[in-house]
Amino acid sequence: MPFTTARDTRFHMVELASGRTGEPVVMLHGLFTGSLASWYLTAAPAIAARRRVRLFDWRGHGLSERTRAGYGASAMADDLDALTSDLPPFAIVGHSYGCVVGLRFLQTRRGRVRRMALVEPPLAEVAEPVPAGAAPPGDRQRFTPARLRALRADPSSRRVRGLLENTTLLDDLAAEPPVTDEDLRSLAEVPCMVIGGAGSPYAPSLERVRRVCPRVRGHILDGGHDIHVTGADDVTALLAGFLGAARSEEATHG
Amino acid sequence: MSKSDTVLDEVVQLLIEVVGEDFLLDLEITRDTTFSDDLALESIEFVALAEKLQHRYGGRVDFAAFVADMDITEIMTMKVGTLVAYIEERTTAARSAG
């Protein structure tokens, strides 16, 4: 099974169509119940028909090692950097918190990202200005006691329980600085597409991104936060079109 | 032992490697066994099984291509026999071509 060690952590990493040349695609999953399976069993095989695709489980997720700390977006962007150091500039496809990490990576590793596809980015709840002196809004606010209880009660979520009980993940998220409009303007540096679920609590994210970056392509599909799973066919078609466009642009611009 | 039985045995062995022997104790895995309902396989474990199949059979088995046209429910509710049949078909085709 493909494991690699980076930043003193053992990561589970899978590559599809590894022999394919051209712009690779790195697909990032979300937190808690997310794993690389959410892409491997949905859009990744179709994208791999034309692109080299790299998938990995974030630390503490899927089959990667669960470390005590290191779950903030900046730290995870460092993980992404280490896990893609052998790749030429690539496209990022992120779901949920994977989008935030991808954005932080884009901001700090300019030139390494060729395009960004954000699926259900959780950017709506940090849209409000932070009152002076108030603590910055953190992701912990999203995890209500009822949601945490539901996660713990789910028998398939033993990994989630492990994260909640044995790591600093929630504290790391709470300490995470909000994504500002200035941060979002980084998305204008590369071709960018946002896909949202009409029934998702994060649906306003698309409106916010497009207000800040009017050239971003946006699509709202029927579905919720897990639109990449429940609406896999539609999401895959949009991603394939967006990522496939890279070939003609490469041909045009050399 | 027929070829199908051999492939089934190999898939069972790889499943044991993925989820652990204890988990499958007292559970007979047949071609009618489903990955989700019967084995309670998590999606990431299914990926791990796919990787092991790829390692075992090499380029003869392209699991990503096999599931490319399925939705995630179809994949997870798949019977073990469906996967075994695919492997058998692919390995037979490779042997014929070779």
Side-chain angles (χ1 to χ4, degrees), chain A residues 1-2 12-14 16 35-38 40-42 45-46 48 57 62-63 155-159 229 232-233, chain B residues 17-18 23 42-52 54-55 63-65 67-72 75-76:
Chain A
M1 204 172 296
H12 177 222
M13 192 160 76
V14 174
L16 303 177
S35 75
L36 67 80
S38 66
Y40 186 103
L41 299 178
T42 57
D57 288 325
L63 301 180
S156 69
S157 296
R158 60 181 186 273
R159 290 186 179 86
V229 174
D233 287 350
Chain B
E17 290 178 20
V18 169
F23 188 71
E42 293 183 45
S43 58
I44 191 63
E45 293 170 333
F46 202 86
V47 174
L49 173 65
E51 292 168 45
K52 287 182 175 294
Q54 206 77 52
H55 181 72
F63 187 82
V67 301
D69 293 330
M70 300 182 191
D71 66 34
I72 199 164
I75 296 169
M76 296 307 296

Side-chain angles (χ1 to χ4, degrees), chain A residues 39-236:
Chain A
W39 287 123
Y40 186 103
L41 299 178
T42 57
I47 293 170
R50 291 180 62 178
R51 296 280 166 202
R52 176 183 182 184
V53 175
R54 180 165 295 182
L55 310 162
F56 59 83
D57 288 325
W58 292 120
R59 63 176 64 225
H61 294 75
L63 301 180
S64 288
E65 180 183 350
R66 188 180 68 211
T67 58
R68 175 77 184 155
Y71 298 93
S74 294
M76 290 168 69
D78 290 343
D79 289 342
L80 172 58
D81 189 33
L83 292 167
T84 57
S85 60
D86 60 317
L87 293 180
F90 51 86
I92 288 178
V93 175
H95 173 251
S96 192
Y97 201 67
C99 301
V100 179
V101 180
L103 174 63
R104 295 307 187 200
F105 183 83
L106 173 70
Q107 291 180 283
T108 53
R109 277 82 170 178
R110 296 182 190 277
R112 292 204 60 205
V113 182
R114 294 290 295 272
R115 63 191 64 234
M116 296 269 291
L118 309 178
V119 181
E120 274 292 298
L123 301 171
E125 294 180 356
V126 293
E128 295 299 319
V130 182
D139 280 57
R140 183 188 283 275
Q141 295 171 0
R142 297 176 196 150
F143 297 99
T144 62
R147 184 168 176 205
L148 291 173
R149 275 197 302 276
L151 285 169
R152 286 195 173 97
D154 182 348
S156 69
S157 296
R158 60 181 186 273
R159 290 186 179 86
V160 174
R161 286 198 299 275
L163 275 170
L164 294 172
E165 294 166 3
N166 300 302
T167 76
T168 62
L169 192 153
L170 290 178
D171 292 329
D172 291 348
L173 293 179
E176 190 67 29
V179 175
T180 65
D181 286 355
E182 187 59 35
D183 294 327
L184 286 180
R185 287 193 186 94
S186 302
L187 295 173
E189 297 173 10
V190 294
C192 180
M193 178 176 73
V194 180
I195 300 172
S200 165
Y202 301 121
S205 295
L206 172 58
E207 187 181 334
R208 182 188 176 205
V209 172
R210 294 192 71 185
R211 175 175 55 78
V212 177
C213 302
R215 292 180 61 187
V216 167
R217 292 170 237 189
H219 303 274
I220 291 286
L221 304 176
D222 287 339
H225 189 53
D226 58 350
I227 187 70
H228 63 320
V229 174
T230 59
D233 287 350
D234 291 335
V235 171
T236 299

Side-chain angles (χ1 to χ4, degrees), chain B residues 6-97:
Chain B
T6 303
V7 173
L8 176 61
D9 290 345
E10 288 181 336
V11 169
V12 170
Q13 184 56 45
L14 296 178
L15 270 168
I16 289 171
E17 290 178 20
V18 169
V19 301
E21 197 162 13
D22 291 347
F23 188 71
L24 297 178
L25 217 56
D26 300 330
L27 183 66
E28 184 188 5
I29 300 177
T30 71
R31 297 167 77 89
D32 288 329
T33 302
T34 59
F35 288 106
S36 55
D37 290 347
D38 296 330
L39 299 178
L41 213 65
E42 293 183 45
S43 58
I44 191 63
E45 293 170 333
F46 202 86
V47 174
L49 173 65
E51 292 168 45
K52 287 182 175 294
L53 290 170
Q54 206 77 52
H55 181 72
R56 166 66 183 84
Y57 294 101
R60 291 174 294 169
V61 171
D62 185 347
F63 187 82
F66 174 53
V67 301
D69 293 330
M70 300 182 191
D71 66 34
I72 199 164
T73 304
E74 288 177 275
I75 296 169
M76 296 307 296
T77 56
M78 187 191 303
K79 290 182 177 178
V80 170
T82 304
L83 179 61
V84 168
Y86 167 72
I87 295 169
E88 183 182 22
E89 175 195 324
R90 296 292 298 167
T91 52
T92 300
R95 197 170 55 247
S96 300

